[in-house]
Amino acid sequence: MAFRIFNTMSRTKEELIPLDGEHVRMYTCGPTVYNYAHIGNFRAYMFEDLLRRYIKFCGFKVTQVQNLTDVDDKTIRSSIQQGLPLKEYTKTYIDAFFEDLAKLNIEPAEHYPAATDYIDEMIQLIGTLFDKGYAYKSDDGSVYFSIDKFSEYGKLAHLDREGMQAGARVAQDEYDKENAADFALWKAYVPEDGDVVWDSPWGRGRPGWHIECSAMSMKLLGESFDIHTGGVDNIFPHHEDEIAQSEAATGKPYSRYWMHCGYLVVDGRKMSKSLGNFYTLREILDMGYTGREVRYELLSSHYRQSLNFAFKSLDANRAALKRLDEFYASLVEAAENNDVAGELPAWASETRKRFADAMDDDMNISGAMAAVFDTVHAGNKAMSDSPVSSREARAVLDLWSELDRVLGILIPQEEAIPSRVFDLLEDRKKARAEKNWAESDRIRDALAECGWTVKDTPVGPKLRKL
RNA sequence: GGUGCGGUAGCCAAGCGGUUAGGCAGUGGAUUGCAAAUCCAUCUAGAUCGGUUCGACUCCGAUCCGCACCUCCA
């Protein structure tokens, strides 16, 4: 059993073997905090969450770094518009970002470095690139990376230099770069930057976009580390440029595995404000969906596939989650507070292996979920024939916890039963004992208004949250 | 133009050269005071056209359609 992941660099699935054999160090491109993150962004963070969770499931340690890009054109422009200092402006969206992560049950990374806290490291890195002859200063005062000096430029995106001139957006280029595709390491100050400016050996200005990820990843994870992730749209230019500047500076391999998740589209089209299909997580939650339902949605397609987000699939997810919850509730009842796990029943004995086999194959979530749902079905069937022992039920519950450390959706939130609901349930029991069906149904409606549903079973009524 | 991905049943979505993927929805039945949940049964597949093969949804080729990236968008 080995965890194999698709490496964008080699375009093949490779076994994940950490540099030091036991500890996976990963860098995941994070949000630009000039606005609330949208669900497309969260698709990427969800993929990274699943990845880190499964790496741990495999027995490795994980150190994950996720950067917060808190300085760029849009951030500066918006903060000035609102008359707020940059740090104050971005704080709102950084806080919101962490709230959203929690709503989606995304595990926190070990480090969340903000770009503006690592300016010194970036300046140092640019200095090294100057010393080694990869950087040059242009007449406008900006510093660029010369891609012609880095012969491997294009190895990640599989772009050849000649092909690049055909690019649609390259033509309109500016200044006096040596090569139109050279990218900025340091941007000279312009009045539009307001007071967002730092001193550097090359004059006042601010860092380019790519340099922050190189500086922060190497500072926190070392010059060579294991995994670097992002959306497919980051492959070029962002990750290509990171490789160039990092490897040019250190002479060492940068990230060993590159993983990229597919785009999220809404109703078959790219999410955009002009199409009106642009959603933030909080908008979706305001519509009454839960973070867990959104998590299920973002999780349930293979990460390299484009994911078609649709509200009707959120509704379908709700039904699927109910099915999982019903199964879980049956197990809890059968376990009868028994803490001692016995053997897994036959119907759950293959589950873990099937789950792991699927996930080992580049995180085949569909196969993994099939293992889960097959177990639900087989378990329901077995339990409807004959009760499962409390020790067996406990064993399955333990298995469920283990799988949920990867999935983060299997185990429902415990809901305390309000006393009013409990009283109504008692009243209804009496009414049913007297075969007073009208009263019984009336109470059932009252319970529904409280948000609870009641099911009558051979062993008595059972409450479920609606 | 270059690079890459995809077209699977009503919807979503996998693996696989020959044996039920899975989820949601639908239909019939069991069960229930009625429900709910659950179980049993059941209906819809593999864009098109060729080729390879004893046999292809799965391999090869062509065609059609959709999508993404090609300088700062996860």
Side-chain angles (χ1 to χ4, degrees):
Chain A
M1 166 166 145
F3 183 24
R4 300 177 77 239
I5 54 180
F6 185 87
N7 189 346
T8 306
M9 186 66 84
S10 65
R11 312 277 160 133
T12 57
K13 291 178 193 172
E14 301 172 17
E15 180 177 351
L16 174 62
I17 303 171
L19 262 174
D20 72 1
E22 56 184 26
H23 184 172
V24 176
R25 288 167 294 160
M26 59 190 275
Y27 187 87
T28 53
C29 281
T32 304
V33 286
Y34 72 101
N35 204 337
Y36 297 110
H38 58 71
I39 51 168
N41 300 320
F42 285 113
R43 199 273 164 103
Y45 311 144
M46 190 64 71
F47 142 64
E48 289 148 2
D49 184 51
L50 184 66
L51 177 63
R52 72 153 8 235
R53 284 164 173 263
Y54 193 66
I55 289 171
K56 292 204 286 188
F57 183 89
C58 291
F60 297 117
K61 282 191 212 114
V62 172
T63 298
Q64 180 189 358
V65 175
Q66 182 159 55
N67 65 298
L68 304 169
T69 299
D70 60 349
V71 54
D72 85 321
D73 292 352
K74 279 176 279 194
T75 315
I76 294 169
R77 200 191 314 135
S78 303
S79 70
I80 290 175
Q81 268 168 15
Q82 303 214 354
L84 292 173
L86 193 71
K87 279 275 186 189
E88 200 175 309
Y89 173 77
T90 55
K91 184 174 186 306
T92 306
Y93 301 108
I94 291 173
D95 291 347
F97 173 66
F98 288 120
E99 282 169 26
D100 288 351
L101 290 185
K103 285 274 192 326
L104 291 173
N105 195 15
I106 290 177
E107 280 188 2
E110 281 66 27
H111 302 280
Y112 288 102
T116 54
D117 294 333
Y118 286 79
I119 303 290
D120 289 346
E121 283 80 358
M122 296 183 218
I123 289 173
Q124 222 169 57
L125 186 56
I126 297 168
T128 304
L129 290 170
F130 255 112
D131 294 344
K132 296 200 172 184
Y134 290 101
Y136 64 92
K137 189 171 170 181
S138 73
D139 290 346
D140 72 320
S142 294
V143 178
Y144 291 97
F145 183 93
S146 174
I147 64 163
D148 291 328
K149 302 263 167 51
F150 188 73
S151 62
E152 293 185 314
Y153 192 79
K155 67 179 175 181
L156 179 68
H158 290 202
L159 291 177
D160 60 273
R161 310 276 188 68
E162 290 81 61
M164 288 183 59
Q165 70 204 353
R169 284 187 262 173
V170 174
Q172 39 161 3
D173 228 303
E174 73 271 36
Y175 309 133
D176 49 349
K177 294 197 245 173
E178 291 175 0
N179 183 320
D182 287 350
F183 56 91
L185 295 167
W186 187 260
K187 295 181 162 191
Y189 179 76
V190 290
E192 293 81 62
D193 289 347
D195 59 359
V196 180
V197 62
W198 290 267
D199 285 317
S200 84
W202 318 284
R204 283 152 56 81
R206 60 185 170 97
W209 174 38
H210 315 297
I211 197 71
E212 65 169 87
C213 287
S214 290
M216 297 191 293
S217 62
M218 293 197 288
K219 169 85 176 184
L220 294 165
L221 296 173
E223 291 179 341
S224 295
F225 55 90
D226 296 301
I227 305 179
H228 197 127
T229 72
V232 281
D233 49 322
N234 275 161
I235 294 174
F236 192 86
H238 184 49
H239 290 163
E240 193 68 58
D241 291 349
E242 270 189 73
I243 292 170
Q245 64 199 180
S246 305
E247 299 193 348
T250 66
K252 296 176 189 165
Y254 184 50
S255 176
R256 302 166 62 235
Y257 304 89
W258 290 84
M259 297 177 74
H260 295 95
C261 67
Y263 239 104
L264 176 140
V265 297
V266 175
D267 296 326
R269 315 191 70 174
K270 183 173 171 174
M271 189 165 55
S272 78
K273 282 180 177 159
S274 56
L275 284 171
N277 60 357
F278 183 97
Y279 299 105
T280 62
L281 178 65
R282 37 203 67 213
E283 284 170 336
I284 293 166
L285 298 180
D286 286 345
M287 292 166 87
Y289 295 100
T290 65
R292 187 168 173 239
E293 285 159 0
V294 177
R295 179 178 177 88
Y296 190 107
E297 174 74 4
L298 296 178
L299 215 52
S300 56
S301 291
H302 184 83
Y303 75 91
R304 281 192 286 124
Q305 219 57 51
S306 71
L307 168 69
N308 189 9
F309 182 90
F311 288 101
K312 79 178 167 190
S313 25
L314 280 180
D315 297 333
N317 297 157
R318 180 169 295 183
L321 285 166
K322 265 185 80 176
R323 182 169 164 80
L324 291 174
D325 290 350
E326 193 61 37
F327 177 71
Y328 186 79
S330 308
L331 288 175
V332 169
E333 281 153 17
E336 296 169 335
N337 296 320
N338 189 343
D339 288 338
V340 184
E343 291 277 304
L344 279 170
W347 47 266
S349 60
E350 294 297 310
T351 305
R352 191 188 188 286
K353 180 175 169 19
R354 283 187 57 199
F355 177 87
D357 284 350
M359 289 297 287
D360 276 344
D361 183 16
D362 194 32
M363 302 204 290
N364 181 348
I365 192 71
S366 299
M369 290 307 293
V372 167
F373 277 104
D374 281 345
T375 305
V376 170
H377 180 249
N380 280 333
K381 186 176 166 145
M383 288 190 279
S384 74
D385 289 344
S386 62
V388 65
S389 79
S390 64
R391 287 161 61 98
E392 283 179 324
R394 173 50 56 189
V396 180
L397 284 171
D398 288 350
L399 170 70
W400 235 233
S401 312
E402 191 189 8
L403 300 186
D404 204 43
R405 286 208 293 275
V406 176
L407 297 172
I409 49 167
L410 292 182
I411 299 183
Q413 284 256 293
E414 291 281 337
E415 289 268 3
I417 299 172
S419 58
R420 171 170 159 72
V421 169
F422 190 78
D423 292 345
L424 283 169
L425 187 70
E426 289 302 311
D427 293 346
R428 187 166 174 278
K429 272 188 198 165
K430 279 180 209 144
R432 291 190 80 237
E434 296 160 7
K435 296 199 190 298
N436 185 347
W437 308 130
E439 175 67 1
S440 163
D441 290 349
R442 192 194 62 75
I443 296 173
R444 186 160 58 194
D445 291 344
L447 282 166
E449 279 172 31
C450 300
W452 292 77
T453 182
V454 64
K455 311 192 307 176
D456 300 309
T457 75
V459 293
K462 290 182 180 174
L463 279 170
R464 293 282 185 268
K465 196 90 175 72
L466 271 177

